[in-house]
C-alpha cells in the first residue's frame, strides 16, 4: 500500500531544515527511493563511503537523516528494513535496506552530530493493510539494533505497532508532532523548561503525550515513539 503523505513529510522536513540554516545544496532530497539510491547515499555493508560520507566536513557538519515510508521485518532474519519502491516486501532480505547497516555506516561518518528521524514502523502492517503477504498475519517482530553509537534516533512506533497518518494535516502523525516539538512546543509548559532549546528528552515527552494521545483518540490504537541517544542533546534552538 502507498504511504499516502510521505512526499508531504519529506517536503515539510526539508522546509524546516532550510529555516534552521541548512543550505539547499547540502540537502540530499530523494522521493520514491530505490535500493540503489539508498546504497549510493548511505553505503553498503561492504563500503560505508556513500554520497553522504563525501558531503561531511569532519567534526564540523551536523547531519540530519529523515525517512518517511514503509519499514518491514525480515521474515527469516528478523532485522528491520527500509522498503524501497522497487523492493518485494516478501524478499526484503534481498532487496530492502537494512536499518542496522544504516546505523553502522552513519556511525562511521566523522560528523559533529548525526540525528535520525524515521516515520516508519517495522511491523509488516500499515493503515491500508498488510505489506508482507501472510496467511495468518505477521508473527515476526523486527529486532531493533541496540547499539546506536553516537547517533540520536527517533522513530514513529514501537514493536508491532504501526505508524499512523494525520489525514487533516496530510502528514504522518509522527512527522506532524515531531515538527511541532522541534519548533518549540516541546520546550513549553508541561514538556520543557522554557529555555529556548529543545532537547531529546523534551521531544520524547511531547511525542509520548501528544502523538500517542492522537493515535488513540483518532484510531483507537497505540503508537509510542522509540528514542535512543543522549536525552540532553539539543535538537533545535528557537
Amino acid at each position: 500500500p502507498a504511504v499516502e503523505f510521505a512526499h508531504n513529510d519529506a517536503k515539510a522536513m526539508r522546509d524546516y531544515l532550510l529555516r534552521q540554516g541548512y543550505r539547499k545544496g547540502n540537502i540530499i532530497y530523494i522521493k520514491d527511493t530505490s535500493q540503489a539510491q539508498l546504497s549510493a547515499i548511505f553505503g553498503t555493508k561492504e563500503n560505508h563511503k556513500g554520497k553522504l560520507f563525501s558531503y561531511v566536513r569532519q567534526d564540523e557538519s551536523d547531519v540530519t537523516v529523515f525517512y518517511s515510508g514503509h519499514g518491514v521485518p525480515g521474515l527469516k532474519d528478523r532485522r528491520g528494513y527500509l522498503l524501497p519502491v522497487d523492493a518485494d516486501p516478501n524478499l526484503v532480505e534481498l532487496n530492502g535496506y537494512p536499518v542496522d547497516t544504516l546505523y553502522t555506516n552513519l556511525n562511521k561518518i566523522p560528523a559533529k552530530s548525526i540525528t535520525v528521524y524515521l516515520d516508519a514502523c517495522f511491523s509488516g502492517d500499515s493503515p491500508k493493510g498488510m505489506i508482507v503477504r501472510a496467511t495468518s498475519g505477521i508473527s515476526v517482530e523486527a529486532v531493533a539494533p541496540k547499539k546506536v553509537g553516537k547517533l540520536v534516533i527517533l522513530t514513529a512506533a514501537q514493536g508491532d505497532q504501526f505508524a499512523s497518518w494525520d489525514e487533516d494535516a496530510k502528514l504522518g502523525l509522527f512527522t506532524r508532532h515531531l515538527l511541532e516539538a522541534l519548533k518549540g512546543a516541546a520546550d513549553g509548559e508541561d514538556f520543557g523548561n522554557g529555555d529556548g532549546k529543545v532537547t531529546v528528552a523534551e521531544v520524547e515527552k511531547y511525542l509520548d503525550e501528544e502523538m500517542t494521545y492522537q493515535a488513540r483518540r483518532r484510531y483507537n490504537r497505540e503508537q509510542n515513539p522509540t528514542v535512543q541517544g543522549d536525552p540532553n542533546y539539543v535538537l533545535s534552538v528557537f
Side-chain angles (χ1 to χ4, degrees):
V3 181
E4 200 159 325
F5 303 126
H7 290 179
N8 294 350
D9 289 347
K11 183 179 184 302
M13 179 56 73
R14 180 184 62 177
D15 292 346
Y16 165 76
L17 292 175
L18 289 171
R19 289 194 297 271
Q20 286 289 302
Y22 278 63
R23 291 195 298 274
K24 188 175 182 180
N26 283 348
I27 296 179
I28 303 170
Y29 185 71
I30 303 293
K31 295 191 294 186
D32 302 324
T33 183
S34 66
Q35 184 192 41
Q37 287 174 317
L38 287 172
S39 296
I41 294 168
F42 298 112
T44 63
K45 183 179 179 180
E46 293 75 25
N47 185 352
H48 65 278
K49 294 185 178 181
K51 186 176 183 180
L52 178 59
F53 183 93
S54 300
Y55 268 47
V56 166
R57 292 181 183 271
Q58 184 169 344
D59 301 323
E60 293 183 22
S61 298
D62 292 304
V63 174
T64 298
V65 176
F66 175 81
Y67 173 85
S68 177
H70 283 311
V72 294
L75 296 181
K76 296 179 180 178
D77 62 13
R78 298 183 65 219
R79 297 162 73 193
Y81 291 84
L82 304 183
L83 186 67
V85 294
D86 57 348
D88 181 342
N90 291 280
L91 299 172
V92 72
E93 288 100 338
L94 296 175
N95 52 31
Y97 192 85
V99 173
D100 53 6
T101 297
L102 173 68
Y103 295 169
T104 297
N105 288 359
L106 288 175
N107 266 303
K108 294 177 181 178
I109 295 176
K112 184 171 72 173
S113 71
I114 301 178
T115 306
V116 180
Y117 303 115
L118 300 182
D119 196 338
C121 59
F122 300 91
S123 64
D125 204 351
S126 79
K128 284 196 171 183
M130 299 299 291
I131 303 167
V132 182
R133 292 190 303 273
T135 56
S136 58
I138 293 295
S139 59
V140 176
E141 184 175 318
V143 177
K146 293 181 180 179
K147 294 183 179 181
V148 299
K150 65 185 178 184
L151 310 181
V152 170
I153 301 169
L154 293 89
T155 64
Q158 298 180 2
D160 59 357
Q161 300 173 351
F162 59 85
S164 306
W165 304 328
D166 186 322
E167 294 179 346
D168 297 325
K170 299 189 184 305
L171 296 169
L173 200 66
F174 171 79
T175 298
R176 176 204 157 180
H177 287 91
L178 172 66
L179 289 173
E180 288 177 354
L182 293 174
K183 291 175 183 177
D187 190 47
E189 189 176 356
D190 298 329
F191 305 106
N193 59 11
D195 66 351
K197 299 177 182 179
V198 178
T199 66
V200 171
E202 290 172 342
V203 172
E204 181 177 17
K205 186 175 182 181
Y206 186 84
L207 293 175
D208 262 334
E209 294 196 25
E210 297 301 315
M211 182 193 74
T212 299
Y213 170 73
Q214 288 297 329
R216 185 172 66 250
R217 174 169 175 158
R218 291 167 181 255
Y219 306 112
N220 195 33
R221 68 173 69 112
E222 292 299 316
Q223 181 179 338
N224 306 96
T226 61
V227 179
Q228 297 168 280
D230 180 1
N232 297 313
Y233 178 73
V234 175
L235 292 170
S236 68
V237 178
F238 64 97

